[in-house]
Amino acid sequence: MTATAPITQDVHTIPRKLADGPVNLVGLTRDAMRDALIGAGTPEKQAKMRVNQIWQWIYHWGVRDFAEMTNLSKDFRALLAEKFVISLPEVVTRQVSTDGTRKYLVRIAGGHEVEVVYIPETDRGTLCVSSQVGCTLTCSFCHTGTQKLVRNLTAGEIVGQVMLARDDLDEWHTPGQGTGDNGPRLVSNIVLMGMGEPLYNFENVRDAMKIAMDGEGLALSRRRITLSTSGVVPEIARTAQEIGCQLAVSFHATTDDVRDRLVPINKRWNIAALLDVLREYPKVSNSERITFEYVMLDGVNDSDDDARRLIKLIDGIPAKINLIPFNEWPGAPYKRSSNNRIKAFADIIYKAGYASPIRKPRGEDIMAACGQLKSETERARKSRKQIEAETGL
Ligand code: SAH
Ligand code: SF4
């Protein structure tokens, strides 16, 4: 930054720099982008309009090259190219399952890798997005939980996952053609259910989702975005106020004793504390109902008594219970409940008046199901290493 282009004092979000290079515009809030433009020499009076224009190019038209931003002057485009980049995480591999599920292995700054999964259905297309590399929590049935937290993803890396899926699916607006207006969108829903605990990376997740929900950004309704948390109680209230998306909670047990073992954050905020904050969520966020995720573990949490206790606990909360057949991973200390057991459990809940869908594992042939993501990456790494050792490369 030169002396003639001072950085303003009132930055709302510190622009994220790529190492020492130019600032990445992807993931900046509107305010932060405005500050960054002013810092680069844009006259203050023009800054808001410039943000609108650049924002549209990036998030509506999917443009990556400043030269294509034809409603900006040549000089301004040159300035942008000098000071900024429009950069997404890099797709390392893309696998497509026989059921149409796509799994992307994505590399972020520092050489770390996360996975992103696209799940097409007849009435929607859901993108499962990661928020951290690894996780600080240690849920005993989750493979990501056996990984140390490497780092939080930036807002740009989070919203960038949605953008790279749009790239792959060729889903950007083209002048005179449109996309979402002409039919169902390919990426119509986002679930924050990939690697990591989104509420331990609150600001970045919030900024990314604001861009996803912005009418001139990726323009997805907040009703089509679901954030899944293991139960970070203080941040749940903040999510209602500051994001307002749909909420899913990894509930998984009906007694503190069992939940302590499965979801250890329960020792900090127990079932009663979690339920208290969940009761408030729909009112504050004006959302319809909360999804209770419940992984079905053979002989651990899957009895008829568990089902009945669950109904009692959630009494009065508008809810849907999503039953997830456990996805096994090498060395996992649990087994998946039998299909009959899962059905019996679902029936009890359904008869009490709650929707109780059983989550169908998708993309199993490419290891894209819940809780399987990281294991495949590790295996791939290992075999690469083995190959290197064998070939002496
Ligand atoms: N950290 C967040 C979001 C990521 S996990 C959370 O815990 O909610 C997304 C969902 O997959 C959670 O409900 C999680 O409990 C579940 N999950 C993790 N490992 C699993 C496995 N091996 N089989 C089935 N579901 C799993
Ligand atoms: Fe982390 Fe969620 Fe896995 Fe628990 S289930 S270890 S919170 S990613």
Side-chain angles (χ1 to χ4, degrees):
M1 205 62 57
T2 63
T4 51
I7 299 177
T8 52
Q9 295 296 306
D10 56 340
V11 278
H12 300 271
T13 307
I14 298 162
R16 285 104 183 176
K17 293 199 172 202
L18 300 172
D20 256 345
V23 175
N24 186 9
L25 291 181
V26 177
L28 296 188
T29 61
R30 280 175 182 271
D31 282 347
M33 194 185 285
R34 182 176 172 276
D35 291 338
L37 292 182
I38 293 170
T42 310
E44 249 186 273
K45 271 197 266 167
Q46 293 178 8
K48 197 172 168 202
M49 190 175 82
R50 298 286 171 249
V51 169
N52 282 338
Q53 290 169 317
I54 297 167
W55 193 271
Q56 269 217 334
W57 284 115
I58 296 178
Y59 297 116
H60 186 79
W61 303 111
V63 162
R64 303 288 146 76
D65 185 350
F66 294 111
E68 288 177 44
M69 302 185 176
T70 45
N71 57 355
L72 303 175
S73 76
K74 262 196 159 168
D75 285 352
F76 189 59
R77 280 184 259 162
L79 174 83
L80 291 175
E82 185 194 326
K83 306 272 185 187
F84 302 106
V85 290
I86 301 167
S87 147
L88 301 190
E90 176 199 351
V91 178
V92 181
T93 57
R94 186 193 77 154
Q95 288 170 279
V96 183
S97 157
T98 49
D99 70 11
T101 300
R102 295 179 184 211
K103 186 172 78 169
Y104 310 97
L105 176 66
V106 161
R107 187 175 298 140
I108 57 171
H112 307 301
E113 288 167 352
V114 292
E115 284 169 326
V116 188
V117 179
Y118 173 69
I119 306 151
E121 289 171 281
T122 41
D123 61 337
R124 71 183 68 186
T126 304
L127 195 71
C128 181
V129 167
S130 293
S131 56
Q132 299 182 310
V133 186
C135 188
T136 47
L137 302 170
T138 51
C139 305
S140 51
F141 56 89
C142 171
H143 194 252
T144 310
T146 66
Q147 309 268 295
K148 278 193 178 163
L149 174 72
V150 179
R151 76 163 167 87
N152 282 337
L153 268 58
T154 64
E157 289 163 346
I158 297 168
V159 76
Q161 295 171 52
V162 186
M163 295 167 72
L164 64 85
R166 273 202 177 168
D167 282 356
D168 185 45
L169 297 162
D170 202 9
E171 207 199 2
W172 292 103
H173 293 73
T174 34
Q177 212 179 309
T179 158
D181 316 332
N182 295 348
R185 288 205 181 174
L186 296 175
V187 179
S188 64
N189 294 54
I190 298 174
V191 293
L192 281 148
M193 293 185 188
M195 290 162 61
E197 169 49 60
L199 295 190
Y200 274 156
N201 184 15
F202 187 88
E203 283 82 8
N204 287 317
V205 166
R206 177 197 58 202
D207 291 354
M209 291 307 110
K210 289 248 156 156
I211 295 170
M213 292 187 283
D214 190 305
E216 290 164 6
L218 299 178
L220 292 174
S221 154
R222 66 189 184 86
R223 297 190 184 280
R224 290 181 172 274
I225 297 177
T226 304
L227 183 153
S228 174
T229 179
S230 57
V232 188
V233 164
E235 304 294 327
I236 290 177
R238 250 184 115 192
T239 306
Q241 285 155 2
E242 296 180 35
I243 309 179
C245 59
Q246 304 295 306
L247 188 72
V249 171
S250 294
F251 208 66
H252 302 324
T254 59
T255 63
D256 279 324
D257 187 37
V258 176
R259 196 161 191 272
D260 280 353
R261 276 190 282 134
L262 298 182
V263 191
I265 200 175
N266 195 67
K267 293 181 200 156
R268 182 123 181 236
W269 295 289
N270 66 12
I271 290 179
L274 179 57
L275 289 171
D276 274 352
V277 76
L278 293 181
R279 275 179 217 290
E280 294 304 311
Y281 192 90
K283 285 176 246 161
V284 181
S285 66
N286 187 27
S287 59
E288 291 139 30
R289 54 187 180 172
I290 290 174
T291 301
F292 285 76
E293 295 166 287
Y294 199 96
V295 66
M296 297 300 289
L297 303 172
D298 184 32
V300 176
N301 63 355
D302 62 349
S303 69
D304 287 355
D305 280 348
D306 278 306
R308 287 190 274 264
R309 264 196 302 271
L310 181 60
I311 295 161
K312 272 204 186 132
L313 286 170
I314 64 173
D315 188 34
I317 303 178
K320 155 176 134 181
I321 289 89
N322 202 337
L323 300 176
I324 316 175
F326 174 58
N327 293 310
E328 294 182 18
W329 39 271
Y334 303 106
K335 289 222 155 357
R336 180 186 291 190
S337 309
S338 72
N339 286 346
N340 285 343
R341 183 86 298 272
I342 298 175
K343 270 194 167 163
F345 196 97
D347 260 10
I348 295 174
I349 292 166
Y350 182 73
K351 286 195 180 118
Y354 295 97
S356 56
I358 300 167
R359 193 180 289 174
K360 214 169 99 201
R362 292 289 303 260
E364 276 184 307
D365 54 338
I366 55 167
M367 290 287 285
C370 304
Q372 290 186 316
L373 294 182
K374 195 58 188 174
S375 45
E376 168 61 12
T377 310
E378 279 198 341
R379 216 171 295 148
R381 272 204 192 124
K382 212 175 189 178
S383 62
R384 269 206 301 267
K385 260 193 203 154
Q386 279 165 356
I387 291 165
E388 280 165 17
E390 279 164 25
T391 56
L393 289 174

